[in-house]
């Protein structure tokens, strides 16, 4: 008996506004109204300025290691734009643009990379978790957050962001499997930026697309141009609707590119072809959205000039706010460990010592020495 | 002899062992073309090719789990985990398989892997890039755990680790990677696993440490007028009880210094062994100068967390003052 085909699959790739500025009017109809396109462009420009300033802060010793977001702004921005304000955002560290759109003050991200935990003290009503440093781990939290929403019969869903590298971690696969089999409202947004530090995406995935990872878990999956804010908003909007309506997860592969080094501690010239970078510089998400606006006379040079000035001002003000916050005191590392501080920890906090005599110098007076065998 | 940093000494040891034995292969994240994020494997990809220096998918459990298989088939893999904070996903493979394979199979299978891991704080790194989890792995029977504090020891210990028939976690204190240079013989040599090194001889107190805090101990000794003996353990498991006991029997006093939190840290184990073997020789309670029992804070507070020289000096003064006529108060 000949083998039967029991499964057929196809993967769609969605693009609406391409790198030349060509706009697919049919696909792009009603995705983002023009007034919003202007606001999104302005926001993206400010985020680009933020990124450049953050980079310089690290270079001048005013901040620790920083992962540039440059070139990937449209992914998180398009996604957050398409979500509700109480949908959970579960980011890693290249989603500044979307987080700022949701309302995270820029100095939080600066504080985090300045080595100050207060950068993670994110107001609850922003519905976002702190940046995840251990790769892929946050995806499971997104599944749990979505699960709680479903349990409480809320309308809210969760959106997890992660890189191409993250798709190799076991946690990623567990998250996809849980979400699919427990019918949970999660949108998985994979930022495929071509690299996991120096390792190209093909070392994480031998299939032609990362999107098809979703197929194996029995969930909807789609690829899209991650540098196209319209495509992002559209696919995330559809995935969010599916999540809300059917409690079904979606795996989205957003094709984008890391225009900078992995972080300020990295030097991509060691492993990356300059020609590849040049190609992607032309696909910068900012360029095409500016072209879109100019073609429709929604933006002009004088507004651009004013926007640049505003971006410089807003970012400078955020840097000022971050740098003006007084350094944390040593008690800070003890105070947030438990709801109630155990006694021994309180002693360490009060004395800043771990040695018994340091914690309790009165022993120095009280004790007479034990009989010694030493002369 | 060449004047090498710790990074260069490790690099040299890897090259020499790979030249000598084609069963030695390297695998991990960014270890190939990029030469590792700390450049420890710099040049090895070019020299030994992509079959022996392998960039893997981004999965720590995968790196250690496949290393176990490679080792069971007779190879000597040297996997790298990029930072100690990311050992956690590999914990399962290390503790449930690597550590137990020999026992489970009565030596029919063995797991001679050397898992290299940058460790510890002090370099202003982001969160989960500054922890000191050595006690967690020392607690797992079946694993060996070492941590060199000098380029010379790094080379000799790494060669021993690679040749060791059992799994070794080789922690590399990143704060010392490029902190200083030292004469390192070009010729191959080994530093025995399980043997401590007496760095400075003295009679008043025994100071015991390993990894980056060894340098802080040296600083504390430099600023003290007492006669202090400094022991660098080098091996955390197995522990060189003999060297510790001999020293404390001589000095009657001991201060243990480690970066990891105090609670259930190696300091507790060492203090117990001293107590068990030196009870009547002790002239003061054993002191521990360690990280606090907190999560390793972000880098703005790491200096306050780490057992820096001033805290070590204070403990030395106190432990010497204890029971002596002067009744000296707290020194800091
Ligand atoms: C569990 C874990 N392993 C290793 C690292 C070190 N590391 C930080 S970022 C990174 C690459 C991540 O690549 P990807 O998921 O594609 O995200 P990208 O940085 O490209 O946005 C690695 C290996 C880490 N942070 N966490
Ligand atoms: Mg990536």
């Amino acid at each position: 008996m000949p083998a039967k085909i029991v499964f057929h699959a196809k993967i769609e790739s969605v693009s609406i506004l391409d790198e030349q500025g060509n706009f697919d009017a049919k696909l792009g109809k009603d995705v983002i109204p023009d007034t919003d396109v202007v606001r999104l462009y302005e926001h993206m420009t400010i985020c680009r300025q933020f990124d450049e300033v953050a980079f310089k802060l690290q270079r001048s010793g005013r901040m620790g290691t920083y992962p540039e977001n440059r070139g990937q702004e449209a992914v998180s921005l398009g996604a957050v734009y398409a979500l509700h304000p109480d949908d959970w955002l579960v980011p890693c560290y290249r989603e500044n643009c979307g987080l700022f759109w949701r309302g995270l003050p820029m100095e939080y991200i600066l504080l985090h990379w300045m080595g100050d935990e207060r950068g993670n003290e994110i107001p609850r009503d922003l519905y976002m978790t702190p940046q995840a440093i251990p790769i892929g781990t946050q995806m499971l939290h997104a599944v749990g957050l979505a699960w709680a929403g479903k349990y409480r019969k809320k309308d809210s869903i969760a959106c997890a962001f992660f890189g191409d590298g993250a798709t190799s971690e076991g946690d990623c696969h567990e998250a996809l499997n849980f979400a699919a089999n427990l019918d949970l409202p999660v949108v998985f947004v994979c930022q495929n930026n071509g690299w996991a530090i120096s390792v190209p995406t093909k070392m994480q995935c031998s299939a032609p697309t990362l999107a098809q990872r979703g197929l194996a878990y029995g969930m909807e999956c789609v690829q899209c141009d991650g540098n196209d804010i319209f495509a992002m908003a559209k696919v995330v909007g559809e995935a969010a609707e599916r999540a809300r309506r059917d409690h079904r997860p979606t795996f989205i592969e957003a094709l984008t590119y890391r225009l900078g080094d992995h972080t300020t501690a990295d030097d991509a010239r060691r492993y990356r072809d300059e020609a590849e970078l040049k190609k992607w510089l032309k696909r910068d998400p900012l360029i095409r959205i500016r072209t879109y606006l100019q073609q429709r006379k929604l933006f002009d040079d004088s507004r651009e000039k004013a926007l640049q000035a505003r971006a410089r001002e807003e970012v400078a003000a955020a840097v000022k706010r971050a740098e003006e916050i007084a350094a944390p005191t040593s008690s800070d590392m003890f105070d947030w460990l438990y709801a109630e501080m155990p006694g021994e920890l309180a002693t360490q906090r009060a004395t800043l010592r771990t040695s018994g005599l340091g914690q309790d110098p009165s022993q120095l007076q009280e004790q007479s020495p034990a009989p010694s065998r030493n002369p | 002899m060449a004047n090498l940093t710790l990074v260069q000494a490790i690099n040299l040891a890897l090259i020499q062992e790979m030249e000598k034995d084609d069963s030695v292969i390297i695998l991990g994240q960014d270890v190939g073309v990029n030469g590792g994020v700390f450049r420890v494997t710099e040049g090895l990809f070019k020299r030994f090719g992509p079959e022996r220096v392998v960039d893997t998918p981004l999965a720590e459990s995968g790196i250690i789990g496949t290393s176990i298989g490679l080792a069971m088939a007779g190879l000597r893999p040297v996997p790298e985990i990029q930072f100690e904070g990311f050992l956690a996903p590999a914990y399962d493979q290390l503790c449930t398989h690597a550590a137990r394979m020999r026992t489970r199979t009565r030596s029919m299978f063995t797991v001679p892997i050397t898992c290299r891991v940058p460790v510890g704080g002090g370099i202003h790194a982001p969160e989960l890039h500054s922890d000191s989890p050595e006690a967690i792995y020392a607690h797992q029977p079946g694993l060996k755990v070492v941590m060199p504090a000098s380029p010379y020891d790094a080379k000799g210990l790494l060669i021993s680790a690679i040749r060791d028939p059992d799994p070794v976690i080789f922690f590399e204190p990143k704060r010392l990677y490029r902190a200083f240079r030292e004469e390192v013989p070009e010729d191959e040599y080994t530093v025995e696993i399980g043997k401590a090194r007496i760095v400075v001889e003295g009679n008043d107190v025994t100071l015991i440490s390993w990894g980056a805090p060894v340098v802080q101990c040296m600083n504390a000794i430099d600023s003290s007028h007492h006669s202090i003996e400094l022991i660098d353990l080098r091996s955390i498991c197995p522990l060189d009880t003999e060297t510790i006991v001999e020293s404390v029997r001589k000095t009657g006093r001991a201060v243990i210094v480690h970066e990891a939190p105090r609670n259930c840290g190696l300091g507790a184990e060492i203090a117990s062994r001293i107590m068990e073997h030196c009870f009547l020789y002790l002239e003061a309670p054993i002191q521990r100068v360690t990280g606090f029992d907190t999560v390793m804070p972000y880098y703005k507070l790491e200096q306050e967390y780490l057992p820096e020289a001033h805290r070590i000096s204070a403990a030395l003064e106190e432990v010497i003052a204890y029971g002596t006529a002067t009744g000296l108060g707290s020194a800091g």
Side-chain angles (χ1 to χ4, degrees), chain A residues 290-363:
Chain A
R290 190 182 304 143
T291 311
Y292 175 93
L293 292 175
Q294 278 166 349
Q295 281 168 353
R296 285 161 188 74
K297 309 239 175 320
L298 294 165
F299 219 70
D300 57 25
D301 286 351
S302 75
R303 280 186 78 175
E304 178 68 30
K305 227 176 127 194
L307 171 61
Q308 294 293 344
R310 186 181 135 206
R312 278 194 297 275
E313 252 167 57
E314 286 191 18
V315 173
V319 172
K320 191 155 179 284
R321 284 195 298 277
E323 290 190 328
E324 273 174 5
I325 291 173
T329 58
S330 50
S331 58
D332 209 75
M333 65 180 139
F334 300 95
D335 290 347
W336 307 99
L337 207 59
Y338 298 105
E340 271 188 53
M341 193 177 295
E344 168 54 29
L345 201 61
T347 304
Q348 292 184 14
R349 181 185 188 274
T351 60
L352 292 180
R353 300 291 299 275
T354 55
S355 51
L357 294 174
Q359 292 182 342
D360 178 14
S362 71
Q363 293 182 83

Side-chain angles (χ1 to χ4, degrees), chain A residues 64 114-115 117 120 169 197-198 203-204 270 330 337 344 348 353-357 364-365 367 374, chain B residues 30 34 39 42 57-58 60 127 262 280 283 287-288 290 293 298-300 304 318 322 327-328 332:
Chain A
M114 285 174 172
E117 269 138 38
N120 290 342
E169 288 281 9
I197 310 187
S198 71
M203 183 46 73
Q204 320 295 346
R270 291 173 65 90
S330 50
L337 207 59
E344 168 54 29
Q348 292 184 14
R353 300 291 299 275
T354 55
S355 51
L357 294 174
L364 291 172
Q365 265 77 37
Q367 302 294 325
N374 290 345
Chain B
D30 306 288
N34 199 31
R39 309 289 179 253
E42 171 105 60
L58 203 174
E60 290 74 13
E127 68 176 328
R262 193 186 73 171
L280 291 178
E283 296 182 39
Q287 301 295 294
R288 286 176 287 166
T290 68
D293 290 328
Y298 281 21
Y299 76 74
K300 269 195 180 157
E304 330 246 339
E318 284 155 359
Y322 186 91
L328 187 76

Side-chain angles (χ1 to χ4, degrees), chain A residues 218-284:
Chain A
M219 73 171 77
E220 289 291 324
C221 45
V222 62
Q223 189 184 65
C224 74
D225 182 345
N227 287 2
D228 170 1
I229 187 118
F230 291 91
M232 278 312 304
K234 188 175 174 71
V235 299
V236 172
E238 287 171 1
E241 201 188 317
R242 180 178 307 117
R244 260 183 260 284
R245 191 187 55 219
D246 310 329
H247 290 140
R248 290 299 298 164
T250 304
F251 187 100
I252 297 167
E253 175 189 12
L255 292 173
T256 182
Y257 196 76
R258 198 191 76 203
L259 292 180
D261 295 330
H262 169 66
T263 65
T264 47
D266 177 46
D267 178 3
R269 287 170 306 185
R270 291 173 65 90
Y271 52 80
R272 187 163 78 172
D273 188 4
E274 193 71 16
E276 183 182 283
L277 175 63
K278 284 220 177 85
K279 188 178 78 184
W280 279 93
L281 278 167
K282 293 195 202 108
R283 298 182 187 161
D284 186 325

